[in-house]
Amino acid sequence: MKPFIDNYADILDFLDEKVDSINWDNFYKERKRPVPFITQNTMPDENLVVFLNNRTGIKSAIEFGCGEGRNAIYMAKQGIAVTAYDLCAAAIENAKNIMTDAGIHVNFVCKDVIKSNITDKVDLVYDSGMFHHLAPHRRITYIELLKKILNPDGYFGLTCFSWGTNCADEINDWEYYNHSFNAGLAYTKERLTELFQPHFEVVEIRKYQNGIPDTIQGLEFMWVCLFQNKLT
């Protein structure tokens, strides 16, 4: 780390060093936790399936934190050109193997999407579970990136931990920096609205629906959100 803080990027990098994080390579290699995105790693999210069934004209997409590629591969099967980012090498390696077995193409990239210099413009950005692992200061970078890469009428889809379901850390932003890391940050519907409504039109914020055929199950503790880029 640099010995001096000279700019905004230095402040963000400094704060990055102050927070805990999951060792995702170990997580995907050891596979000790039977979470749905491990046990059902070829199934897409129900909200993504519903969205793509109801809307035409989605030709390009970027996925944040793609894991083993289940949603990215599903989007590619619908004829969408997909680039999918994850910082975990083990997850990306598994994703490429699953992609090959599916006979489909996704541009999988092993890189921290928040720190990537993306220049593409796309119709859809999708995030199934990366956002709730971001430290509060990186939400600023996250929203800046969304605004940069989404087409003027593009969509942003999100699934994240919900507050009040005993699934994640229910703490405020100030507490986060003195908190022993657990599962990730939980959000209320009101907080998600506060964060994203200034930048996007809120299409929906609802709970995940189980029981949808051929989609991942057991995510009733998650919010699913859909936003549309505000025309400027």
Side-chain angles (χ1 to χ4, degrees), residues 62 64 85 113-114 116-121 145 148-149:
I62 289 176
F64 292 178
Y85 289 82
V113 68
I114 292 295
S116 300
N117 185 26
I118 302 173
T119 57
D120 296 339
K121 302 285 283 188
L145 179 59
K148 174 185 174 183
I149 66 178

Side-chain angles (χ1 to χ4, degrees), residues 134-207:
L134 284 182
H137 65 277
R138 279 296 176 183
R139 293 192 204 115
I140 300 167
T141 320
Y142 184 96
I143 291 172
E144 289 174 344
L145 179 59
L146 286 173
K147 296 297 289 184
K148 174 185 174 183
I149 66 178
L150 269 180
N151 282 327
D153 57 350
Y155 290 92
F156 163 49
L158 172 69
T159 71
C160 66
F161 291 139
S162 64
W163 192 292
T165 55
N166 298 317
C167 67
D169 300 289
E170 297 182 357
I171 54 176
N172 67 38
D173 289 353
W174 304 111
E175 292 170 330
Y176 180 90
Y177 294 94
N178 294 308
H179 179 73
S180 179
F181 185 85
N182 187 16
L185 287 171
Y187 288 89
T188 65
K189 184 176 183 178
E190 292 73 21
R191 183 60 179 145
L192 291 170
T193 302
E194 288 173 356
L195 287 169
F196 292 110
Q197 193 171 51
H199 310 280
F200 305 97
E201 299 291 346
V202 179
V203 179
E204 69 174 4
I205 301 175
R206 62 169 174 83
K207 287 296 183 66

Side-chain angles (χ1 to χ4, degrees), residues 18-72:
K18 298 298 180 182
V19 298
D20 293 330
S21 61
I22 294 173
N23 186 321
W24 289 108
D25 275 309
N26 286 346
F27 184 95
Y28 279 102
K29 287 176 181 177
E30 295 173 358
R31 310 181 83 80
K32 290 181 178 178
R33 295 183 61 187
V35 293
F37 64 87
I38 289 288
T39 61
Q40 304 169 55
N41 66 345
T42 61
M43 296 288 102
D45 291 338
E46 62 88 5
N47 52 303
L48 179 63
V49 173
V50 170
F51 170 73
L52 293 178
N53 283 342
N54 291 338
R55 285 174 178 82
T56 59
I58 305 297
K59 303 299 182 185
S60 56
I62 289 176
E63 184 174 7
F64 292 178
C66 65
E68 294 179 322
R70 57 191 181 82
N71 288 307

Side-chain angles (χ1 to χ4, degrees), residues 50 96 104 114 134 176 191 217 220-221 232:
V50 170
K96 289 180 178 178
I104 205 76
I114 292 295
L134 284 182
Y176 180 90
R191 183 60 179 145
Q217 302 296 302
E220 66 277 359
F221 52 87
T232 56

